[in-house]
Amino acid sequence: MMISSNSGTDFISVLKAQGVDPMTHMQTPEFREWLDGYLSENILKVQFTKKDGTERTMMCTRSMTAIPADKQPKGTLEKTSTDAVRVFDTEIQEWRSFNISNL
């Protein structure tokens, strides 16, 4: 389980150091709000378990300055669920999603 910024900050370790259970914290609306806000301005490295059970690490963002013009969404990035996060994978240059519960 890992979430780190492009500056290398491992947020899971930060939460643990503060005595916060990361799994409990990541299920809160406040975490989702923070994550959406952070992704709208930064590139974030996330590691998660895919539906097929394999582990994946992805550099992702929702920052329009980091997304090529031809790949930018035509509408808004509305939430489809409280768990799924739609992001732009900066390495493969495609839109993907991950579930917060699988981080």
Side-chain angles (χ1 to χ4, degrees), residues 10-28:
D10 179 347
F11 294 106
I12 301 301
S13 297
V14 171
L15 289 173
K16 286 180 179 178
Q18 294 173 348
V20 176
D21 174 30
M23 294 310 296
T24 301
H25 180 70
M26 289 190 303
Q27 302 305 317
T28 65

Side-chain angles (χ1 to χ4, degrees), residues 53-71:
T54 60
E55 294 290 318
R56 178 154 188 302
T57 300
M58 174 171 51
M59 297 299 290
C60 57
T61 190
R62 292 170 78 171
S63 171
M64 293 305 146
T65 60
I67 301 170
D70 64 324
K71 301 280 186 167

Side-chain angles (χ1 to χ4, degrees), residues 3-61:
I3 305 174
S4 62
S5 71
N6 51 345
S7 66
T9 303
D10 179 347
F11 294 106
I12 301 301
S13 297
V14 171
L15 289 173
K16 286 180 179 178
Q18 294 173 348
V20 176
D21 174 30
M23 294 310 296
T24 301
H25 180 70
M26 289 190 303
Q27 302 305 317
T28 65
E30 293 82 11
F31 177 78
R32 175 59 190 252
E33 185 177 319
W34 171 84
L35 183 62
D36 288 340
Y38 192 88
L39 285 166
S40 70
E41 297 178 11
N42 301 282
I43 295 174
L44 189 64
K45 181 178 184 178
V46 295
Q47 181 180 358
F48 58 96
T49 305
K50 293 170 41 173
K51 288 182 181 180
D52 67 6
T54 60
E55 294 290 318
R56 178 154 188 302
T57 300
M58 174 171 51
M59 297 299 290
C60 57
T61 190

